[in-house]
Amino acid sequence: MNSPSLPIAPALARRIWLQAQCLDRESPFGDGPEAVKNAINHLGYVQIDTINVIERSHHHILFTRLPNYARSDLEQAQSADKSVFEYWTHALAYVPTEDYRFFMPAMARHRAAPQGSFAAVDPAAYAALLKRIRADGPLSIRDIDEQLVEKTHPWGSRKPSRQALRLGFFTGDLAISKRSGMLKSYELTQRHFGWRRRPRCATEAQFAQYLLDRAIRAQGMVSLDSICFGNLKMKAAIAGLIETGVRRKRLVPVHIENHHAVQHWVRPATLDAIAPLAPVDPRVHILSPFDPLVIQRKRLNLFFGYEHRFEAYVPAAKRVLGYFALPVLVGDEIAAVLDLKADRRAGRLVMQQWTWAARERSGLKEAIEDALTRFERFQMA
């Protein structure tokens, strides 16, 4: 990795990332359930989160890229088309079903050596749970009547079977076949997908290549940290792939001007396709704090010069941006940060705090307010 590193202007670096995230154009994936599949295939994953002061993150992230998105489109993709499934990336997420085999090594590790609370799951009770699902079909935690116990974690459940269901999920014995809000229905994985046999499990080398390809596709310009977000143990393997890619001229070493310490790489075709710079379209996006553009906070700060704070778990007196602050992307800058709350009874969004992250200028507030009107319609639909 000693090849000369090409300096990249910050504006070009932002353009590369925004183009890879498909935030620079209208309706890049089409409409309906097929668009959901296309979007998740391109992004690699869409994070799921439980906070619902506004619409939950997975719907929000998809709405940002699919102007005509409907929540039923995701349900169709997951439960009927089965083109996406839920599993753990750096967090719980929707993932393309075509990528299932790359998550099978993690499933095998959970099966071979259950960790933490999974180790306490009674094997006989787990076998009985699988037998019940095999006989009766998908079930949720609400379908299980049992004696309640004390919670061992604030986000836990008083039903012992919840850990058995989660064990089945992490080992791949069970798949989440349907989601109603945050209530999940679990089905036998092979029956859910209609598989006679499971896909062939990826090797570690194949998983490393998958992570590199996914990052290049969804980030455009990548660093070792951005590729390995949630998979830090893969750094050595991916560093080797990058070295090979540079040697074979498939990757070009680059760095953002005045930031030599953070090495990045980009495909030659990406540099060729994106220069010269055209004027930035002042498109407005109200982003989830779990959006792929935001979730890697250090990367966001490096590219955009904006340091996001997620303050939902920060004491109220110490908050700067607000409980659930949403960065607002205007063109290629984070222009403002909005702390919003949905008043579902009144059918409107409540503005709890508006913070400018960029210089306020003529027309900027009006453009953001126009985007807020559309965002509110989505929230209340």
Side-chain angles (χ1 to χ4, degrees):
M1 291 192 218
N2 295 321
S3 299
S5 181
L6 178 70
I8 298 290
L12 178 57
R14 290 193 294 272
R15 183 69 63 86
I16 290 171
W17 194 11
L18 291 174
Q19 188 176 81
Q21 280 290 307
C22 299
L23 290 169
D24 62 340
R25 52 202 183 275
E26 189 78 14
S27 302
F29 299 110
D31 292 312
E34 188 68 15
V36 168
K37 171 190 173 183
N38 293 339
I40 296 177
N41 279 357
H42 179 83
L43 297 172
Y45 62 85
V46 166
Q47 184 172 338
I48 300 168
D49 193 78
T50 59
I51 296 176
N52 69 335
V53 291
I54 61 166
E55 184 53 87
R56 290 187 172 95
S57 64
H58 41 291
H59 294 305
H60 184 169
I61 293 166
L62 290 168
F63 168 77
T64 298
R65 292 160 179 82
L66 308 175
N68 298 317
Y69 173 73
R71 296 163 186 82
S72 58
D73 294 338
L74 179 56
E75 181 179 353
Q76 169 84 17
Q78 178 177 25
S79 301
D81 300 343
K82 298 165 188 175
S83 59
V84 301
F85 75 105
E86 296 185 30
Y87 203 68
W88 194 266
T89 53
H90 69 278
L92 187 62
Y94 285 103
V95 182
T97 300
E98 66 183 44
D99 293 342
Y100 188 92
R101 73 191 198 94
F102 297 111
F103 295 86
M104 292 176 69
M107 296 173 185
R109 289 192 294 272
H110 282 292
R111 185 177 296 109
Q115 300 293 313
S117 58
F118 291 153
V121 174
D122 177 51
Y126 180 64
L129 178 68
L130 296 182
K131 182 178 180 181
R132 176 177 171 181
I133 295 174
R134 186 173 294 109
D136 299 341
L139 59 77
S140 73
I141 190 66
R142 290 184 185 172
D143 298 321
I144 301 174
D145 293 322
E146 57 188 329
Q147 187 166 348
L148 303 182
V149 298
E150 291 299 317
K151 287 186 180 183
T152 57
H153 189 280
W155 299 341
S157 171
R158 296 185 64 198
K159 289 190 173 184
S161 292
R162 181 174 184 271
Q163 280 303 92
L165 288 170
R166 293 184 71 243
L167 176 63
F169 168 77
F170 277 99
T171 61
D173 290 336
L174 299 176
I176 296 172
S177 60
K178 185 176 181 180
R179 181 182 278 272
S180 178
M182 297 306 288
L183 180 66
K184 297 166 282 192
S185 294
Y186 294 82
E187 171 64 295
L188 300 177
T189 295
Q190 288 188 226
R191 189 162 67 188
H192 170 68
F193 289 112
W195 292 336
R196 292 185 62 185
R197 62 181 62 181
R198 291 175 183 268
R200 184 186 296 272
C201 183
T203 64
E204 182 172 314
Q206 289 168 338
F207 181 58
Q209 187 66 57
Y210 159 75
L211 291 177
L212 175 58
D213 292 343
R214 185 181 74 178
I216 287 283
R217 183 179 67 245
Q219 298 173 16
M221 181 170 152
V222 300
S223 68
L224 198 53
D225 282 341
S226 76
I227 299 165
C228 298
F229 186 61
N231 292 279
L232 296 180
K233 293 180 180 179
M234 297 302 296
K235 278 190 172 183
I238 290 172
L241 291 176
I242 291 172
E243 187 172 4
T244 299
V246 171
R247 189 171 63 250
R248 295 179 178 175
K249 302 188 184 304
R250 295 173 183 167
L251 293 173
V252 177
V254 296
H255 63 273
I256 297 176
E257 289 175 355
N258 301 319
H259 293 281
H260 296 78
V262 185
Q263 184 68 68
H264 287 79
W265 295 269
V266 66
R267 284 181 175 153
T270 300
L271 292 177
D272 294 341
I274 207 162
L277 285 177
V280 176
D281 185 338
R283 195 177 300 276
V284 179
H285 294 295
I286 299 169
L287 300 174
S288 166
F290 302 108
D291 193 278
L293 198 79
V294 180
I295 192 62
Q296 295 196 41
R297 313 283 191 230
K298 290 182 180 179
R299 177 178 168 89
L300 179 69
N301 192 13
L302 179 64
F303 278 66
F304 287 86
Y306 164 72
E307 186 174 358
H308 187 67
R309 289 169 56 95
F310 182 67
E311 300 177 329
Y313 305 115
V314 174
K318 295 184 178 180
R319 291 177 192 148
V320 175
L321 301 175
Y323 177 83
F324 199 67
L326 311 177
V328 181
L329 177 72
V330 181
D332 69 343
E333 72 173 343
I334 304 297
V337 191
L338 310 181
D339 183 25
L340 300 174
K341 183 176 181 178
D343 184 342
R344 294 178 175 89
R345 182 170 296 179
R348 66 188 183 94
L349 282 176
V350 177
M351 177 67 66
Q352 303 196 110
Q353 182 175 325
W354 181 310
T355 304
W356 285 109
R359 177 182 57 83
E360 187 177 358
R361 55 191 182 272
S362 176
L364 185 56
K365 192 170 192 293
E366 291 78 4
I368 294 173
E369 287 175 340
D370 285 346
L372 269 170
T373 298
R374 178 173 165 268
F375 191 62
E376 184 176 64
R377 286 199 299 269
F378 163 66
Q379 295 291 321
M380 303 304 158

